[in-house]
Amino acid sequence: MTEAVSENSEVTVLLVDDNPQNLKVLYETLKDKGYRLLIANEGEKALDLAHRHQPEVILLDIMMPEMDGYEVCERLKADSQTADCAVVFLSALDDLQAKVKGFSLGGADYISKPFQSQEVIARVKTHASVIRLERELQARNRELQSDQARILNSISEGIYGLDENGIVEFANPAAASIVGCPVEELIGRNFFETHFATAGDNPDSLPVKATCQQGIAENQRDIRMLRADGTGFPAEYRSTPKLDSDELHGAVVVFRDITAELDSEKALEDARQLVQEQRDQLAHTSRLTTMGEMAAGVAHEVNQPLTAITNYARVAKRMMAKENADMGLLQETLDKIEAQSHRASEIIRRIRRFMKKPATGKEVLSVPALLEDTRQFAEVDMRNNKGAIELSVPENMPEVLADPVQVQQVALNLIRNALEATSSIDSSAPVEVSASVQGDTCVRIQVRDHGIGLSEDAEEKLFLPFFTTKDEGMGIGLSTCRSLIQAQGGDIGFERPEDGGACFYFTLPVAGAQGSSCAPESDSSRA
């Protein structure tokens, strides 16, 4: 005999007793409590109903013919579909051994006959609530496990779960794909022996070993790991300890094959080197162009000491031809020859240093010395443009880290442009070259002229390659300057002073300062 009541109820209760009167009493006791009630009068029917409906609570009589309540309970607990049901035994047996046997078989509670209605209602309510909460928790756990599995299966990095001895307890599909071995074959393998050729030589220094046995997290890049077929690949891995209540149970390892990444990095580095070589070549070409423009002035600069040397040499020869030569005057003349020789040598040295294609790279530089050297080199342009240069560098100026030849090339280019701009309006105002500290990490060097100023579209064109306002210019000056300063980790731009003219500036990083570059000013180049 079976009967279902309250089809919309959340909780299902199965009543099992071979005595119809007992079943009727139980049914009447629970029928108005909102439960879905199922009734069985013998063991086989109870097992069938329980398997089909998975009731939360089963009120089970012990003393039944053919199959007693103990056997029914035992079979219920052996079935995964009904193992979590709360079995409450009903029996007139009130001895301790009967109760102990019921609990040992998985029973949740025990109600003695004759039972009281209030007791039955209270016990059913309690066990129904517990089982419902447990099932909700289990369902949520299954959802979480399913979500976790989907996440782990979708991750492109390989993931291992290892015990404290390095035995693989878990592997995701990505790990199997990277290693070239099915997940089921990875489980149970020794991580160290599988992935490292030196596992038997020096086991204590193996990657992940400290994480498994000491709980020390690790993160390494570009280590060589082995696949299942013995071939190697460069890998990056992170390992974290697997803890349970502060007790170490192994490690979780996340790893990936970085072969393609390393190839891309090498290709990028090769491209960077090519760009640097092209930048250096363009800078060298720009210096040759500058020297071509300055050739006449440089020739005049060198010719002056050479002419003086010739004249002093003739004087010395005439003095030596006399019978009573004035040795003091002769010595003074020879000293002048030597001084003019040093002057010519210094001019040539400066030209050669400026012309050379640098290979030493960045150095720690003194800003005052660098600007003074540049000012001396611009003396030819000063005479040609009938101008002057006013140099202003405060004391205690910090040293900068930069390529001396390239920075001097930029400074000289800006100074020559400023001299030409000032000369174009017949102004006698000097070109102002100054340096100042910008923040804690940068030095700003600026060149101010009092010339015609900059056009309205200067922002759009001035630093573009091959743009020039000079009839015979190549248009690589300012474009090259920007490339060279950016290579130093600095910034370059211009401002429009309120009283006319133009002010160009560039920044260089302070030697030893934190950070490798100077952040560009947000609005200066658009002033």
Side-chain angles (χ1 to χ4, degrees):
M1 177 180 68
T2 63
E3 184 174 356
V5 179
S6 301
E7 293 292 334
N8 297 324
S9 300
E10 283 188 83
V11 175
T12 300
V13 179
L14 173 61
L15 311 177
V16 185
D17 200 315
D18 63 329
N19 186 323
Q21 185 61 33
N22 289 340
L23 285 176
K24 182 177 180 181
V25 172
L26 290 171
Y27 177 80
E28 292 295 331
T29 299
L30 299 172
K31 70 176 183 178
D32 296 326
K33 305 306 177 184
Y35 301 125
R36 177 175 178 240
L37 299 178
L38 303 175
I39 298 175
N41 60 357
E42 50 95 15
E44 288 293 346
K45 289 183 179 179
L47 291 173
D48 179 62
L49 286 173
H51 186 80
R52 285 192 286 124
H53 298 282
Q54 290 92 47
E56 280 77 8
V57 181
I58 300 176
L59 298 181
L60 178 61
D61 184 29
I62 293 179
M63 304 301 293
M64 293 188 298
E66 298 182 8
M67 183 186 302
D68 63 16
Y70 293 136
E71 184 178 351
V72 172
C73 179
E74 189 173 12
R75 291 176 61 177
L76 286 170
K77 296 301 177 181
D79 185 348
S80 61
Q81 297 291 323
T82 57
D84 67 338
C85 298
V87 176
V88 179
F89 285 111
L90 304 172
S91 178
L93 299 174
D94 199 21
D95 62 279
L96 181 61
Q97 293 300 321
K99 293 180 180 180
V100 170
K101 182 178 181 180
F103 288 131
S104 66
L105 293 173
D109 208 345
Y110 196 97
I111 300 177
S112 300
K113 293 181 181 179
F115 42 77
Q116 300 297 318
S117 296
Q118 293 302 318
E119 180 183 12
V120 171
I121 292 171
R123 299 284 180 92
V124 170
K125 180 179 179 180
T126 298
H127 290 296
S129 298
V130 171
I131 295 302
R132 185 171 67 249
L133 291 174
E134 287 181 350
R135 288 183 175 179
E136 289 175 355
L137 181 59
Q138 291 172 0
R140 182 56 181 158
N141 285 339
R142 286 193 295 270
E143 290 178 6
L144 291 175
Q145 290 173 356
S146 177
D147 290 343
Q148 183 184 51
R150 284 195 295 271
I151 292 171
L152 292 176
N153 291 342
S154 64
I155 290 176
S156 60
E157 296 176 312
I159 301 177
Y160 280 139
L162 310 179
D163 69 10
E164 58 272 19
N165 296 315
I167 302 302
V168 178
E169 297 179 325
F170 168 83
N172 72 335
S177 176
I178 294 172
V179 177
C181 181
V183 169
E184 54 271 18
E185 293 185 19
L186 287 173
I187 304 300
R189 284 196 179 195
N190 184 285
F191 170 80
F192 307 109
E193 295 176 358
T194 301
H195 291 301
F196 301 102
T198 59
D201 300 334
N202 193 5
D204 293 334
S205 63
L206 289 171
V208 189
K209 195 80 168 184
T211 308
C212 287
Q213 298 185 349
Q214 302 174 41
I216 302 173
E218 297 180 17
N219 186 353
Q220 290 193 51
R221 189 174 189 272
D222 199 8
I223 65 165
R224 186 172 179 79
M225 293 180 65
L226 299 179
R227 298 185 180 88
D229 61 2
T231 59
F233 64 95
E236 178 181 20
Y237 80 88
R238 302 183 303 279
S239 62
T240 54
K242 189 167 58 175
L243 301 173
D244 184 5
S245 300
D246 294 330
E247 185 177 348
L248 183 62
H249 291 279
V252 175
V253 182
V254 180
F255 69 100
R256 60 194 182 96
D257 184 343
I258 59 172
T259 301
E261 187 175 312
L262 292 179
D263 290 343
S264 297
E265 289 176 0
K266 185 178 183 305
L268 180 59
E269 183 58 30
D270 291 343
R272 285 174 178 167
Q273 290 180 0
L274 179 60
V275 169
Q276 185 60 45
E277 290 173 2
Q278 292 174 341
R279 177 187 288 126
D280 291 343
Q281 186 62 45
L282 181 59
H284 189 58
T285 301
S286 178
R287 287 196 293 276
L288 293 176
T289 302
T290 300
M291 289 308 303
E293 295 171 356
M294 299 171 63
V298 170
H300 175 74
E301 185 81 1
V302 176
N303 190 56
Q304 281 187 331
L306 293 180
T307 300
I309 289 171
T310 301
N311 291 335
Y312 287 135
R314 288 172 180 169
V315 171
K317 286 174 66 176
R318 287 198 299 269
M319 293 172 63
M320 291 174 65
K322 294 180 180 180
E323 293 184 3
N324 298 315
D326 186 342
M327 299 305 293
L329 184 58
L330 180 60
Q331 179 66 42
E332 183 180 342
T333 304
L334 293 176
D335 289 340
K336 289 180 179 180
I337 291 175
E338 183 181 14
Q340 292 298 322
S341 174
H342 284 312
R343 180 185 173 192
S345 176
E346 178 62 21
I347 294 171
I348 298 299
R349 183 189 66 80
R350 247 190 287 134
I351 294 172
R352 291 182 63 184
R353 189 170 71 248
F354 182 73
M355 292 286 289
K356 72 175 182 178
K357 187 174 181 180
T360 56
K362 297 179 182 180
E363 302 174 8
V364 177
L365 304 175
S366 165
V367 175
L370 182 73
L371 293 181
E372 175 58 29
D373 197 25
T374 307
R375 187 195 66 79
Q376 292 178 14
F377 202 76
E379 288 179 353
V380 173
D381 286 277
M382 281 193 288
R383 285 193 294 272
N384 290 342
N385 291 284
K386 299 179 181 179
I389 299 173
E390 186 178 281
L391 184 59
S392 174
V393 181
E395 296 182 0
N396 301 322
M397 176 63 59
E399 295 177 321
V400 296
L401 181 66
D403 185 308
V405 175
Q406 293 188 358
V407 173
Q408 189 179 68
Q409 179 177 349
V410 174
L412 181 62
N413 190 300
L414 297 182
I415 289 172
R416 294 181 70 236
N417 287 347
L419 287 168
E420 292 174 7
T422 302
S423 175
S424 68
I425 61 170
D426 296 325
S427 172
S428 60
V431 170
E432 301 165 9
V433 180
S434 61
S436 60
V437 178
Q438 187 177 66
D440 297 326
T441 60
C442 293
V443 167
R444 169 176 162 137
I445 297 171
Q446 70 177 33
V447 178
R448 163 76 193 278
D449 68 58
H450 296 273
I452 194 171
L454 299 170
S455 63
E456 291 298 327
D457 60 353
E459 289 87 348
E460 300 176 2
K461 298 180 179 179
L462 204 53
F463 289 97
L464 293 177
F466 309 113
F467 171 77
T468 180
T469 58
K470 301 176 184 179
D471 294 337
E472 299 179 357
M474 294 177 62
I476 63 175
L478 288 177
S479 175
T480 302
C481 287
R482 180 171 65 177
S483 177
L484 295 180
I485 291 301
Q486 288 176 345
Q488 313 306 315
D491 178 36
I492 188 169
F494 63 87
E495 298 170 344
R496 293 185 176 90
E498 293 182 359
D499 55 348
C503 177
F504 282 82
Y505 70 88
F506 61 90
T507 59
L508 297 172
V510 172
Q514 294 294 325
S516 59
S517 63
C518 296
E521 294 182 347
S522 58
D523 299 318
S524 293
S525 63
R526 299 176 176 83

